[in-house]
Every structure is written in structure tokens, then in C-alpha cells.
Amino acid sequence: MDRTLIQELLEVVEQAAIASAHLTGLGKKDEADAAAVEAMRTRMGSIAMQGRIVIGEGERDEAPMLYIGEEVGSGTGPGVDFAVDPCEGTNLCANAQDGSMAVLAASDRGGLFYAPDFYMKKLAAPPAAKGKVDIRKSATENIAILSEVLGLAPSELTIVVMDRARHKGLIAEIRATGARVKPISDGDVQAAIACGFAGTGTHCLMGIGAAPEGVISAAALRCLGGHFQGQLVYDPAVAQTSEWADYTKEGNIARLNDMGITDVDKVYEAEELASGENVVFAGSGITPGLLFKGVVFEADCTRTSSLIISSLDRSARFTDTVHIKEGAKSIALR
Ligand code: VTB
Ligand code: MG
Ligand code: MG
């Protein structure tokens, strides 16, 4: 992987975000997802690389595009592994709610954890808390640590938690410490990454979301020096999701074992989920959010706001791109 890839990957997520943004608010989540997938795949095709999807939109039989194992790119050049979520937060996009984005993580071959399509308990926090908070500790203990290392009272800390039945106890525990809970309906990737930056008003992500999204979050936080840990969730009684209505704990453990995961309770650090020598994260807002303004359509241009984080040059670039329409007469400078 070299630095020219950074610019290419920026364009990949910008194109995916624009494609989904045309379907924002229409209540069509699958269509918004498909549009992003198509745009992402097309733009990836013109990058000189031997790309491979390790986390994608499903197995070969279920998804027409960007399925796990699919090869992307021109077919010559460096080998690059990708974890993609072309429309992360499809419900948010379909309902024109904040927080959806086109997102991917890239690394050298073998540099991203092949996360199963399971749930994952996650803990994300700012760099100052790295290695100090711990997913094995209680929320109460972690909030005390956060308060200490960030120099903020619990009442000045905002903890993002997905708004799910499984988090009833967690939310009550956090509130009992005096910290603020910000429930989100979807989109824990953006919330996790927001923890990596001061000034986002987001100090910690706690609770259970999806495992593939955990790898993408880990890639970004690893580059930022932030804290991220993940632990797979295999017990349907813990996940409390209709998706797992027909699954059993034993069956899920057997599925993990079949995938080569024998230590099912392992706590994965960011550096294990995104272990490659070089790691790049790229995200572009579809709707506004903690990190971006999202796609804005204007008469003469389309504007995108994005974030590329790269270990190649130890940078986090926030970009605002004006995509100029043919025959444009005036472009506002904002
Ligand atoms: C999680 C979360 C994602 O979807 O995967 C969620 O990590 C689905 O969780 O950010 P449930 O099955 O509990 O609804 C997102 O919110 C969006 O992809
Ligand atoms: Mg998706
Ligand atoms: Mg998603």
C-alpha cells in the first residue's frame, strides 16, 4: 500500500455516499444500500491493486456485490484487504436521520480480522484512556477512569449506547454514575470513531453492536491511538435480537468453532482487529453526523465531507470536496 491509495479511497467513499444520498429519506433502505455498493465497487475497479473483500455485504450467494472473498481493483498492484460498509446505517439514511456514512477500512493482506457476522461487545474511548479503561471492567469503573484521565466530571461525560432492549441495565448503570447517556438507534461506527477526537462531545461507546462494524471502528481507532476493544457475543439471551430468534448459544459456539474461533470469549484489542502494518480508514457522510456534514446537493455542485485516517503518514484528513457539475456557473465558497 502506498500513499496514492489514500486519495483513491477518499473517492471511493465519496462516490458511495453520493449514490446513497440520492435515496436519503425515501424509506428505501435496501435501495440506498445497493446504490452505495454499486458506486463503491465501480470506483474500486479503477484502482491499481489486487483488492479483496474480507468483510462485506454477505457471502457470495446472498449478495450480488462486494461479497466476502470478492476481488476488487484492477488486478495488478499491491494486495489490499478491505472491510466495507457502503451504507453504514441504512435505516438512518432511509429516514434522513443523522449518522449514516459510506465507510471502509483497508490494510495489507491479512491485516484485518475476519469478523464473523455476529454481535460484539465494544468499548471505544479517547487516546488518553487507552489501556486504562477495559471492557472486562464494569461501566461504573470505566466511567471513573474516564473522568480521571479526561479531567471531566461524570456529568460532563457523554457515553453513546445503542438503543436496544439488551442495554437496559447498562444504561441504568451509566446514569447512576451521573454520566450522560446518548442512545443511538444505529450507526455505532461513527460514534466509536468520534471518541477518538476531542471536541466531538462523545467520550465513550459502550455496549453491543455488530462485529464487522467493530473491525472498521478498530481500524480507525488504532490509527488515532484511541482505545478500542471488542468481544464476540454468541449468546442469544445476551444479544436479545430477533435476528437470532432461532439460534442457540451452543449452536453459535459451534459456528464460531467451525470458523476457527475456539477462544470464543477472547477480548480483541484494536491492534488485533486491525493488525496490518499499514491501515487506512475512509468514511464519507451520507447524512450529517458527529464527524461530517454529509452530502449536500447544490445547483452547480455536490459537496461531500469525509474523513481519511491513515497509518501510512500518521494523518487524519477531514476533507470537503466540491464535485463540480458540467456547465456549472458559480460555486459558492463555504
Ligand atoms: C449494529 C451496529 C450498526 O446496525 O450492527 C446495528 O453496529 C444492527 O444491530 O452500526 P441490531 O441487529 O441490534 O439492530 C448498525 O446500527 C447499522 O449498520
Ligand atoms: Mg451495510
Ligand atoms: Mg452497518
Side-chain angles (χ1 to χ4, degrees), residues 299-319:
D300 285 327
C301 67
T302 302
R303 290 182 92 122
T304 51
S305 41
S306 313
L307 168 62
I308 309 293
I309 308 171
S310 170
S311 71
L312 290 163
D313 62 351
R314 296 189 52 80
S315 66
R317 291 181 173 83
F318 287 90
T319 64

Side-chain angles (χ1 to χ4, degrees), residues 20 23-34 90 93-95:
S20 275
L23 294 154
T24 293
L26 295 182
K28 299 179 179 173
K29 71 192 214 63
D30 293 340
E31 285 86 339
D33 202 15
T90 48
C93 176
N95 295 313

Side-chain angles (χ1 to χ4, degrees), residues 9-10 65 94-95 115 119 147 149 205-206 210 269 277 314:
L9 296 181
L10 167 64
M65 291 173 288
N95 295 313
Y119 286 88
S147 171
V149 299
L205 169 84
M206 292 184 182
E269 303 291 331
E277 192 189 333
R314 296 189 52 80

Side-chain angles (χ1 to χ4, degrees), residues 12-93:
V12 168
V13 290
E14 284 178 346
Q15 291 308 318
I18 292 170
S20 275
H22 280 292
L23 294 154
T24 293
L26 295 182
K28 299 179 179 173
K29 71 192 214 63
D30 293 340
E31 285 86 339
D33 202 15
V37 167
E38 175 77 57
M40 188 173 268
R41 183 172 191 265
T42 302
R43 184 60 188 84
M44 278 179 153
S46 60
I47 304 177
M49 63 174 178
Q50 299 176 64
R52 189 178 65 185
I53 304 294
V54 300
I55 289 178
E57 291 289 302
E59 313 290 338
R60 182 192 266 276
D61 292 341
E62 285 164 34
M65 291 173 288
L66 293 176
Y67 52 84
I68 294 161
E70 178 174 344
E71 290 177 6
V72 290
S74 69
T76 55
V80 184
D81 277 4
F82 284 98
V84 304
D85 200 345
C87 182
E88 153 62 3
T90 48
N91 285 314
L92 301 173
C93 176

Side-chain angles (χ1 to χ4, degrees), residues 53-56 68 81-83 105 107-120 211-216 218-219 228 230-232 256 259-264 266-276 279:
I53 304 294
V54 300
I55 289 178
I68 294 161
D81 277 4
F82 284 98
S107 185
D108 324 275
R109 274 274 180 278
L112 297 171
F113 178 62
Y114 289 26
D117 195 4
F118 268 63
Y119 286 88
M120 181 183 267
E213 275 89 341
V215 173
I216 299 178
F228 189 90
Q231 189 177 29
L232 294 172
L256 287 175
M259 292 178 229
I261 298 173
T262 46
D263 182 1
V264 294
K266 181 178 162 62
V267 170
Y268 294 90
E269 303 291 331
E271 292 71 18
E272 294 172 293
L273 296 171
S275 62
V279 174

Side-chain angles (χ1 to χ4, degrees), residues 73-287:
S74 69
T76 55
V80 184
D81 277 4
F82 284 98
V84 304
D85 200 345
C87 182
E88 153 62 3
T90 48
N91 285 314
L92 301 173
C93 176
N95 295 313
Q97 291 171 316
D98 285 5
S100 70
M101 62 179 177
V103 75
L104 62 80
S107 185
D108 324 275
R109 274 274 180 278
L112 297 171
F113 178 62
Y114 289 26
D117 195 4
F118 268 63
Y119 286 88
M120 181 183 267
K121 183 178 170 189
K122 307 175 189 183
L123 180 65
K130 185 171 170 63
K132 299 197 166 105
V133 290
D134 195 299
I135 202 166
R136 303 169 190 88
K137 292 182 174 148
S138 69
T140 307
E141 287 173 277
N142 283 327
I143 287 166
I145 294 165
L146 276 173
S147 171
E148 167 85 33
V149 299
L150 299 178
L152 294 168
S155 64
E156 296 167 335
L157 293 172
T158 298
I159 317 294
V160 177
V161 180
M162 288 194 68
D163 196 2
R164 296 290 187 278
R166 59 179 172 257
H167 293 146
K168 228 179 141 214
L170 174 62
I171 289 173
E173 182 183 346
I174 297 169
R175 287 187 171 144
T177 70
R180 302 170 178 178
V181 171
K182 180 174 171 181
I184 55 167
S185 64
D186 276 300
D188 69 354
V189 180
Q190 194 161 166
I193 296 169
C195 298
F197 294 100
T200 55
T202 302
H203 304 101
C204 189
L205 169 84
M206 292 184 182
I208 297 169
E213 275 89 341
V215 173
I216 299 178
S217 305
L221 283 161
R222 188 201 122 178
C223 296
L224 294 172
H227 183 95
F228 189 90
Q229 288 171 304
Q231 189 177 29
L232 294 172
V233 172
Y234 48 80
D235 186 347
V238 173
Q240 292 184 34
T241 164
S242 54
E243 305 249 322
W244 275 1
D246 302 329
Y247 291 62
T248 61
K249 178 176 162 182
E250 293 68 31
N252 279 345
I253 291 174
R255 286 202 292 143
L256 287 175
N257 291 342
D258 285 347
M259 292 178 229
I261 298 173
T262 46
D263 182 1
V264 294
D265 293 312
K266 181 178 162 62
V267 170
Y268 294 90
E269 303 291 331
E271 292 71 18
E272 294 172 293
L273 296 171
S275 62
E277 192 189 333
N278 301 303
V279 174
V280 176
F281 163 89
S284 187
I286 300 169
T287 56

